[in-house]
Amino acid sequence: MSNRQELLSAAAHTLSRAGDIALCGHVMPDGDCLGSMLALGLALRRMGKNVYLFSPDPVPNQYATLLPGAAGVAVEVPGEYAPEVFVSVDCSVPARLGRFKALMDSSKKIIIVDHHAGGFNFGHIYLNEPSAAAAGELVYELIDLLPVEMDADMAFCLYVAINTDTGSFRYDGVGSHTHRITARLLEKGIPAGYANKKIYEEKPRVCLQVLGEVLKTLDLSRCGRIAWMHLDRKTLHGLNARDEHADGVTNYPRMIEGVELALFFRQLEDGSYKVSFRSKYFLDVNKLASRFKGGGHLRAAGCVMNGELAEIKRQVVDAALIALEEEGTDERHY
Ligand code: 5GP
Ligand code: MN
């Protein structure tokens, strides 16, 4: 049996024996962490478990209205509660559980379900498969081992998880396995076309206004291989927008011909800057972001930095130029 199978079996065994289970995703939750968590939560509830769903940040409106069960996700840490089993979903480091890290520490057993590069073990059962295109793939395999039938709601949540983390099945991590799982999900009769319109074809108007403002800040390195943009709180508040309205703008500069790396510097409520890294053909951005105490995947990563925006930009762009030099210039990595 492969390590992945052994860990999946161990996780299924632990979950089957538990009475109450807390599931928690990462700060600034995305479709993968929410869809994965909700699907697993639905399966465990079907098995008669007491399930608690937590998120360190509120569920973005887009997913709150799309995903079944999203209204049941709590953002406050409950007092006087120590979970029997705590499942961390799509988190590479404990810090990304935000204020729920203490809840995890109070639990008897910790299961990690993750697919990030360079994560480290912070649980009792550490299921981290960077080869999985989404945490949703692993949750699909986990539910398959539980004594419960996958229903349309669970399948829909997993479809959204896998679809969003693969940029609609476009990114490098997508393999035949991803499509096989997705086919099984579609066989449950889920409204996939509806999900795709809701995810990609429909946004509040303010998202386009934010995008417009952010695109005005677009800048390119002299070599034309790095593009970056920024967003500060003043601009965000001036548009009456929230953080979630800037989700997705990160990818735009990457589509410029010749650009290998796109960077997006967005100011958070506490004044720090969240830096998003997106590469196209070859640059390992997990490695690059880890130089600034962040991480992620090969082609998408992030970190949080403090200081003046100009100085943060200079540090990141300088490091990126060196990384590009080191990793070569061949863009045709197929
Ligand atoms: P995004 O730029 O969309 O927020 O994040 C891209 C990827 O990088 C995600 O897989 C996310 O988990 C990871 N990531 C984003 N910010 C951080 C961070 O501050 N620390 C770590 N370790 N990973 C991050
Ligand atoms: Mn993910």
Side-chain angles (χ1 to χ4, degrees), residues 32 90 115 135 165:
D32 186 30
D90 202 29
H115 69 125
D165 239 31

Side-chain angles (χ1 to χ4, degrees), residues 212-256:
E213 286 303 316
V214 173
L215 285 175
K216 284 183 197 161
T217 71
L218 179 67
D219 208 348
L220 249 84
S221 62
R222 252 187 300 171
C223 63
R225 298 205 291 164
I226 307 173
W228 60 88
M229 311 185 299
H230 70 259
L231 174 63
D232 56 31
R233 296 316 284 182
K234 205 168 136 234
T235 309
L236 196 72
H237 292 156
L239 292 168
N240 255 328
R242 295 190 300 275
D243 284 308
E244 68 190 68
H245 298 132
D247 288 346
V249 313
T250 311
N251 292 330
Y252 280 86
R254 183 169 58 177
M255 60 178 77
I256 299 170

Side-chain angles (χ1 to χ4, degrees), residues 311-322:
E311 177 56 19
I312 291 171
K313 274 184 181 173
R314 193 192 60 74
Q315 282 184 30
V316 176
V317 172
D318 281 357
L321 284 167
I322 293 168

Side-chain angles (χ1 to χ4, degrees), residues 45-63:
R45 279 202 182 119
R46 187 62 63 76
M47 290 165 65
K49 312 291 180 191
N50 279 326
V51 177
Y52 302 88
L53 302 167
F54 298 113
S55 172
D57 286 316
V59 176
N61 200 39
Q62 187 186 25
Y63 295 117

Side-chain angles (χ1 to χ4, degrees), residues 185-207:
L185 299 174
L186 294 173
E187 279 162 14
K188 297 289 173 188
I190 57 171
Y194 171 79
N196 280 293
K197 285 191 193 76
K198 285 290 178 189
I199 296 165
Y200 300 110
E201 305 289 335
E202 198 172 274
K203 296 196 186 300
R205 185 177 171 207
V206 69
C207 288

Side-chain angles (χ1 to χ4, degrees), residues 17-329:
R17 286 197 321 184
D20 86 87
I21 298 158
L23 308 178
C24 187
H26 55 73
V27 288
M28 296 174 95
D30 59 13
D32 186 30
C33 102
L34 292 168
S36 296
M37 191 165 85
L38 288 166
L40 186 56
L42 286 167
L44 294 169
R45 279 202 182 119
R46 187 62 63 76
M47 290 165 65
K49 312 291 180 191
N50 279 326
V51 177
Y52 302 88
L53 302 167
F54 298 113
S55 172
D57 286 316
V59 176
N61 200 39
Q62 187 186 25
Y63 295 117
T65 53
L66 184 65
L67 293 172
V73 177
V75 292
E76 295 302 330
V77 184
E80 307 287 313
Y81 167 62
E84 197 181 330
V85 177
F86 183 99
V87 187
S88 160
V89 183
D90 202 29
C91 280
S92 53
V93 287
R96 288 186 50 84
L97 291 164
R99 71 183 91 91
F100 288 98
K101 188 189 168 297
L103 190 73
M104 175 179 78
D105 292 338
S106 75
S107 69
K108 291 198 195 78
K109 192 109 186 181
I110 299 165
I111 300 176
I112 312 293
V113 180
D114 188 29
H115 69 125
H116 286 90
F120 67 91
N121 187 355
F122 58 97
H124 302 104
I125 298 176
Y126 183 56
L127 175 62
N128 179 19
E129 281 290 339
S131 67
E137 272 191 23
L138 299 170
V139 170
Y140 174 90
E141 290 167 16
L142 184 54
I143 292 176
D144 212 32
L145 295 177
L146 296 174
V148 62
E149 176 84 14
M150 169 91 52
D151 67 17
D153 277 352
M154 298 173 208
F156 186 78
C157 289
L158 290 180
Y159 178 79
V160 171
I162 296 171
N163 184 325
T164 52
D165 239 31
T166 58
S168 194
F169 307 95
R170 281 178 302 153
Y171 298 154
D172 286 356
V174 174
S176 56
H177 189 60
T178 319
H179 285 291
R180 264 190 214 104
I181 289 175
T182 307
R184 295 258 178 266
L185 299 174
L186 294 173
E187 279 162 14
K188 297 289 173 188
I190 57 171
Y194 171 79
N196 280 293
K197 285 191 193 76
K198 285 290 178 189
I199 296 165
Y200 300 110
E201 305 289 335
E202 198 172 274
K203 296 196 186 300
R205 185 177 171 207
V206 69
C207 288
L208 294 188
Q209 292 169 321
V210 170
L211 174 63
E213 286 303 316
V214 173
L215 285 175
K216 284 183 197 161
T217 71
L218 179 67
D219 208 348
L220 249 84
S221 62
R222 252 187 300 171
C223 63
R225 298 205 291 164
I226 307 173
W228 60 88
M229 311 185 299
H230 70 259
L231 174 63
D232 56 31
R233 296 316 284 182
K234 205 168 136 234
T235 309
L236 196 72
H237 292 156
L239 292 168
N240 255 328
R242 295 190 300 275
D243 284 308
E244 68 190 68
H245 298 132
D247 288 346
V249 313
T250 311
N251 292 330
Y252 280 86
R254 183 169 58 177
M255 60 178 77
I256 299 170
E257 264 181 314
V259 166
E260 170 59 23
L261 173 68
L263 300 166
F264 180 36
F265 302 85
R266 63 159 117 170
Q267 197 177 27
L268 302 177
E269 197 57 54
D270 66 2
S272 64
Y273 281 86
K274 163 82 195 282
V275 190
S276 287
F277 302 72
R278 298 288 187 274
S279 64
K280 192 152 49 186
Y281 293 109
F282 62 90
L283 190 71
D284 181 346
V285 288
N286 171 53
K287 202 162 113 192
L288 183 56
S290 68
R291 295 184 54 169
F292 301 99
K293 298 193 171 67
H297 307 282
L298 219 50
R299 304 279 172 261
C303 69
V304 176
M305 293 174 74
N306 289 295
E308 288 295 317
L309 176 61
E311 177 56 19
I312 291 171
K313 274 184 181 173
R314 193 192 60 74
Q315 282 184 30
V316 176
V317 172
D318 281 357
L321 284 167
I322 293 168
L324 276 172
E325 279 307 309
E326 283 170 1
E327 292 205 23
T329 52

